[in-house]
Amino acid sequence: MKKSNAKSNMKKRRWVVKAGSRMVCEGGPLLLRTWMHQVRDLGKKHQIEVIWVTSGAIALAALRTDFKKSIKTLPEKQALSAIGQPLIMDQYNLALQATSLLGAQVLLTAGDMEDPSRRRNLQNTLNQLLKMKIVPILNENDAVATEEIKFGDNDSLASKVAIMMRAERLILLTDVEGLYEDDPKKNAQAPLIHFVAKLETKEMKFAKRSKSKQGTGGMISKLRAADQALKHNIITHLIRGDHPHNLLGIASGESIGTQIGGQPHEG
Ligand code: GLU
């Protein structure tokens, strides 16, 4: 009796992890599998619940259709997103199956979080999925989201979800190690910033130099998302997405990538 009480009283940790379009499209099914393996182990070994935010619907659909070069109009983007969402979920479902997990797709527009009753419904749905040990996989519902009601990018969506769901950490997966003082693709000596207590204009300048573009995001949108999260005491990590251990490494307290907020190297 005592034991089960102790277990149920154990503080649940909750993370929101966001994967960008480039990671998803270039990493493909193998990378998705390493992510879902880590999601399983985060739950089993660290009691961490994960809400996964994925981009890539539009990019994946563009790769599979004749729209590769010029996606310009909103209806084109919306049509591509409708094509791409199930394609992405096919890949996530395969990765989840290989890990004996089950996922659930939740497509959102900004209005779902702004309207109080829709927001509550969304919170209830996500809480219920986590209780059932199902991995919620979120993306913006681009097929119906017009410019006025868009989150803008999935870094911002992920940050808002982290705040709404009172997450402990927001993890943004990128194609570089983290935030550098200069563009690491142009300057191999650029120092990596391991820890930022508070985002200042200096960091925004560094982000502008670092043109790591993924989907509609990039380093600037990641820092903006981190800044919003920080206002709610949520720690953000910018880490390489294509490393098979990075998520688990953070759970074990390793210093990986750039940590924004919290105490340096805390796990
Ligand atoms: N929701 C878009 C997609 O799935 C991506 C948005 C972003 O990359 O920030 O294609």
Side-chain angles (χ1 to χ4, degrees):
M1 187 66 183
K2 260 191 177 158
K3 209 174 176 186
S4 75
N5 270 346
K7 212 174 177 186
S8 61
N9 286 339
M10 207 152 55
K11 192 175 171 267
K12 282 234 181 73
R13 301 170 66 193
R14 183 174 283 175
W15 289 7
V16 172
V17 182
K18 182 256 170 180
S21 296
R22 187 136 114 212
M23 294 259 95
V24 172
C25 291
E26 285 177 12
L30 279 180
L31 183 57
L32 265 60
R33 200 183 280 206
T34 69
W35 288 340
M36 292 307 119
H37 268 113
Q38 291 186 82
V39 169
R40 181 197 59 196
D41 289 349
L42 286 171
K44 279 200 172 151
K45 296 181 184 156
H46 300 276
Q47 287 73 49
I48 294 170
E49 298 174 328
V50 176
I51 297 173
W52 196 270
V53 176
T54 192
S55 299
I58 296 173
L60 199 58
L63 284 174
R64 298 269 188 100
T65 60
D66 290 336
F67 279 91
K68 281 182 199 75
K69 283 196 184 105
S70 59
I71 321 161
K72 284 197 186 93
T73 67
L74 184 63
E76 278 173 354
K77 284 187 198 160
Q78 292 184 307
L80 285 174
S81 101
I83 298 166
Q85 300 290 8
L87 295 176
I88 283 212
M89 282 314 289
D90 283 349
Q91 295 204 3
Y92 274 102
N93 279 330
L94 285 175
L96 287 157
Q97 264 165 32
T99 324
S100 306
L101 289 172
L102 203 56
Q105 185 185 37
V106 182
L107 297 175
L108 306 174
T109 59
D112 295 324
M113 290 177 73
E114 279 157 20
D115 177 81
S117 76
R118 278 157 72 188
R119 184 180 173 92
R120 238 180 349 264
N121 281 339
L122 178 61
Q123 282 169 319
N124 291 343
T125 306
L126 294 176
N127 277 322
Q128 184 62 37
L129 288 168
L130 293 171
K131 203 162 137 194
M132 293 161 80
K133 302 211 181 310
I134 305 292
V135 185
I137 302 190
L138 276 48
N139 193 355
E140 180 152 19
N141 194 356
D142 298 292
V144 299
T146 51
E147 294 305 337
E148 317 81 69
I149 56 160
K150 270 182 99 54
F151 285 100
D153 59 70
N154 274 359
D155 296 319
S156 160
L157 183 156
S159 169
K160 288 188 169 125
V161 169
I163 294 163
M164 181 184 76
M165 297 304 289
R166 297 176 193 280
E168 171 198 320
R169 276 161 215 267
L170 168 66
I171 319 278
L172 301 175
L173 304 179
T174 84
D175 61 348
V176 290
E177 301 293 333
L179 177 66
Y180 287 84
E181 290 189 18
D182 199 359
D183 184 353
K185 287 172 184 164
K186 285 190 193 141
N187 173 7
Q189 309 302 320
L192 175 68
I193 302 167
H194 293 279
F195 177 72
V196 180
K198 193 168 171 277
L199 286 162
E200 317 263 8
T201 39
K202 181 177 71 176
E203 280 80 25
M204 292 316 246
K205 273 191 196 144
F206 292 154
K208 272 186 198 145
R209 279 181 210 156
S210 199
K211 293 232 181 316
S212 161
K213 279 263 177 198
Q214 287 184 310
T216 54
M219 225 8 119
I220 296 270
S221 78
K222 287 179 178 49
L223 291 200
R224 284 199 192 113
D227 195 38
Q228 288 307 310
L230 196 54
K231 290 188 178 125
H232 295 260
N233 293 321
I234 298 168
I235 300 166
T236 299
H237 297 263
L238 309 176
I239 59 169
R240 263 200 102 88
D242 57 0
H243 190 286
H245 178 76
N246 269 353
L247 293 171
L248 292 169
I250 287 176
S252 308
E254 289 169 35
S255 168
I256 297 170
T258 303
Q259 180 184 316
I260 301 165
Q263 299 297 316
H265 314 321
E266 75 166 11

